[in-house]
Amino acid sequence: MKNIKTNTLVDSAIMVAVSAALILMSLWIPFFSIIGMFVSGVPLAVVTVKHGWKVSALSSLALLLILCIVLSDPLGTCSLFLLIVLPGIMSGICIKYDRSFFTSLILVILAVVLSVLANIQILNITLGDDAITSMITQFSETFSQTLKERFNAIDAGQIQGFDIEVMVNGIKDTIFNAMTLYFPTLVVVTSMIIGYISFKINIYFVRRLNIKDYKRTVSFEYFKATKGMLYIIFLIYILSFFSGGNNSNSIFMSALSNMDAIINFIVFICGLSVIDFYFKKAVVKSGLRYIIYLAVFIFGGMIMTILSYVIMLIGTFDAFFNIRRI
C-alpha cells in the first residue's frame, strides 16, 4: 500500500514539474507558444489515466500554486491554467474509462468551452464588464482605419460618387455587428478545434508511454455528418423565415443564427473528411498530403469562399447518401 501511494506521489510530482516547465516554456519561448498550449495538458491526462481524476485534481492545485508563485499574476495564471488543465483531465477520464471517441470528443470540447467562458469572466474582472464588446470595437475600428489608409493611398476619394468615410464606417458597423452576433459561434468553433487537437495529442502520448492503449479513436477521414444535422439546418431556415429572417434582432434569432453557423461548420469539416478519405487512397504518404492541403489553403485564398461551399455540399451529399459506405 505504501509503495502504491509512493508511486502515485512520485508520478504526480514528476507530471506537475513537466507540465509547469511546458507552460513556462510556452510563455517565454515565442515559437513554442502554440505547441506548448496543446502539450502542457498531457501530463495531467497521464496522471488521470494512471491514478484517477482525484489525484489529477490535487496535482492541478499544486501546479496552480507553482505557477502563481513563479508568474506573480493570479488572474492571468488562472486564465492559462484553466485552458490547459480542464481539457487534459477530461481527456484522461475519457481514455481511462474507454468512452466512445465522439462522446469523449464532445466532453473535451465542453471542457474547453467552460475554460473559454471562465477566461471571458476573468477578462471582465480585469478589464471591465464589457471586455469582449470593447475588444470587438477596437478590432473593427483598427480594421476600418487600416482600410481607410489603403483607400487614401490610392486616391480612391477622387472617384466620382465615392465617399471613403461613409464606406469605411459601413464596413466597421458590419464587422462589429457580425462579430457581436457570431461571437458564441467563434467560441464554440475555436473550442472544437482546440478540443480535437488536444484530445488526439493526449491519446498519442498515453499510447506512446504505454500507459493505456485507447482503441476507440476514429481517424479524421471517417468523420461523418448525420441526416439529423441537415434536418436541423432546414428547420432553422424555416423558423428564420417565419420569424422575420435576418432582420430580426431577437435573442431567439441570434440563437438560431449561431446554431446554423455551428452545424454548417461541422458539415464543412465532414466534407473535408470525405475529401481526405478519397485523397488518402490516391496519395498514400501523409506528409505529401499535408503539404498539398497547406498549399491549397495558402494559395487558394481567391477561391476559398467558393471552395468552402463546395466542401459543405460534399459533406451534405455524404450525410444523405453515405457515399463512403461507413
Side-chain angles (χ1 to χ4, degrees), residues 13 31 37 63 118 134 175 249 255 260 268 276 285 300 311 313 322 325:
F31 66 85
M37 184 181 69
L63 174 63
S134 299
I175 292 173
N249 294 319
D260 177 60
F268 172 80
D276 190 53
K285 293 183 178 179
I311 293 171
L313 186 62
N322 192 20
R325 298 293 184 267

Side-chain angles (χ1 to χ4, degrees), residues 74-227:
L75 285 177
T77 301
C78 288
S79 177
L80 179 65
F81 172 80
L82 289 170
L83 198 56
I84 290 169
V85 168
L86 288 183
I89 293 177
M90 184 58 71
S91 296
I93 292 172
C94 293
I95 294 169
K96 180 178 178 66
Y97 295 105
D98 281 315
R99 301 296 183 223
S100 68
F101 179 79
F102 287 111
T103 299
S104 301
L105 183 58
I106 291 170
L107 290 173
V108 174
I109 290 171
L110 287 175
V112 179
V113 170
L114 288 175
S115 302
V116 173
L117 293 177
N119 274 281
I120 291 172
Q121 287 301 111
I122 291 172
L123 275 176
N124 288 335
I125 293 171
T126 307
L127 303 177
D129 291 337
D130 296 323
I132 299 302
T133 303
S134 299
M135 290 171 64
I136 293 173
T137 302
Q138 185 177 357
F139 174 82
S140 59
E141 287 179 351
T142 302
F143 182 85
S144 62
Q145 184 62 35
T146 304
L147 196 62
K148 186 188 295 184
E149 291 172 359
R150 293 291 178 89
F151 279 121
N152 286 329
I154 61 174
D155 292 328
Q158 301 299 320
I159 301 173
Q160 187 175 5
F162 186 85
D163 191 327
I164 295 176
E165 197 71 30
V166 171
M167 193 210 68
V168 169
N169 287 335
I171 292 174
K172 181 176 71 175
D173 292 340
T174 301
I175 292 173
F176 177 83
N177 292 333
M179 291 188 69
T180 303
L181 174 62
Y182 288 107
F183 184 75
T185 297
L186 181 62
V187 170
V188 173
V189 167
T190 303
S191 299
M192 285 179 177
I193 296 170
I194 293 173
Y196 174 73
I197 296 173
S198 298
F199 189 43
K200 291 289 285 188
I201 288 175
N202 287 324
I203 291 172
Y204 173 80
F205 278 102
V206 167
R207 280 177 168 176
R208 292 290 293 180
L209 295 171
N210 294 319
I211 295 169
K212 184 177 178 65
D213 186 14
Y214 179 76
K215 296 180 178 179
R216 307 193 71 176
T217 186
V218 177
S219 299
F220 178 73
E221 66 266 23
Y222 292 106
F223 280 28
K224 185 178 185 299
T226 64
K227 289 183 181 179

